[in-house]
Amino acid sequence: MTAKRLRINIPGFGALTGRYQHDWATGATTYTVTGPRVAGTFVIRHNPRTLVPVPGADRNRGASTPCEVLDVDAPQVHVQYGGGNKPDFLDYERDDLPRVNGITLCGGTGIDVDRMRERRLRGRDVNVRRGRYYRSVPEATQERTAVVLHGLVAHWAGRPENYALRLACCRDYAADRGRVASAKLGVDRAWERVEVARRELEREQAWVGQLAEAAAMPPAVVAGGEAGGDNPN
């Protein structure tokens, strides 16, 4: 889909301008924006994973065991800093990492759409990488990042196609979990074959040990003298 133009006026901040584009295969929306002391790419995606209690699941303790379900209406979203598909451990190599107050952000954060105005972003929500380690950014940068993210998430949540994006995300996540489950099943079966081979190897080693013990035994002795010897009588 062609990227669409974007302009978000945020009271007390100014205007965010740029473009946004949906990925209907994953349900992710990529925002590339500029604003007062802000520039870079953010990727917003619905987070459908919700833990719900399953009553009576733990009969021994009489407690509820949490179970993960996919919820298209869950208010949680994930915001990734930078574009592209780099995994989390390479988040510092993502494309067009956002810069806020001259600081390059790294990683991402989760936001509750229903409650995002009730809290500011904390240190662990806005990180910068220094060598091998992550560091929190100054409070002013946290506050400016929060204003930007809240504005982008509000725009994302207000799109008429938002529900379709959530559904696309749920489908992609379910398919991914299916691939993970299939891979896990393959690994489990491979370990079963390894265990069978290990038991067979142990039996072979035991048999070889028995043969070695037999080969080390002295020649057989017959009644009346050594085998093949002369009878003195």
Side-chain angles (χ1 to χ4, degrees):
M1 178 179 288
T2 304
K4 298 181 180 180
R5 292 184 179 276
L6 169 76
R7 182 181 178 86
I8 303 175
N9 293 312
I10 303 175
F13 172 82
L16 280 175
T17 60
R19 294 179 179 273
Y20 69 98
Q21 185 172 7
H22 302 315
D23 180 353
W24 289 104
T26 63
T29 301
T30 299
Y31 287 87
T32 300
V33 299
T34 59
R37 298 195 296 279
V38 173
T41 295
F42 302 87
V43 180
I44 300 177
R45 191 181 186 205
H46 174 56
N47 183 359
R49 295 171 292 180
T50 303
L51 288 177
V52 298
V54 181
D58 190 340
R59 297 180 180 179
N60 294 328
R61 300 181 181 179
S64 296
T65 300
C67 175
E68 185 179 80
V69 299
L70 298 183
D71 183 2
V72 70
D73 295 314
Q76 285 76 27
V77 299
H78 181 263
V79 181
Q80 172 185 301
Y81 302 148
N85 298 316
K86 293 285 186 180
D88 290 344
F89 66 89
L90 291 176
D91 55 11
Y92 56 92
E93 293 185 0
R94 287 173 177 153
D95 302 330
D96 193 28
L97 289 170
R99 290 181 61 81
V100 180
N101 289 347
I103 298 175
T104 301
L105 305 186
C106 187
T109 187
I111 292 179
D112 187 318
V113 177
D114 293 340
R115 303 181 59 186
M116 63 182 179
R117 296 295 182 182
E118 297 178 12
R119 75 170 181 89
R120 295 152 57 185
L121 298 182
R122 297 182 293 271
R124 64 184 180 86
D125 298 314
V126 189
N127 295 304
V128 61
R129 189 177 177 99
R130 294 284 187 263
R132 297 175 55 189
Y133 303 99
Y134 294 90
R135 296 286 186 268
S136 297
V137 300
E139 185 175 355
T141 301
Q142 292 181 32
E143 293 177 352
R144 184 167 292 271
T145 302
V147 169
V148 171
L149 296 191
H150 291 168
L152 292 176
V153 171
H155 178 274
W156 173 86
R159 296 301 87 201
E161 66 272 23
N162 182 261
Y163 195 77
L165 287 169
R166 291 169 178 262
L167 287 173
C169 180
C170 287
R171 286 195 299 268
D172 180 64
Y173 187 80
D176 185 62
R177 289 300 295 267
R179 289 189 292 269
V180 171
S182 178
K184 182 178 183 302
L185 179 61
V187 171
D188 290 343
R189 289 176 175 172
W191 275 114
E192 290 175 0
R193 293 192 294 271
V194 168
E195 182 62 21
V196 170
R198 185 187 65 79
R199 291 195 295 266
E200 292 178 352
L201 177 61
E202 288 179 349
R203 287 194 293 268
E204 291 293 334
Q205 289 175 334
W207 174 243
V208 170
Q210 293 174 3
L211 292 178
E213 290 179 1
M217 292 176 63
V221 178
V222 300
E226 296 183 356
D230 294 333
N231 190 334
N233 297 325

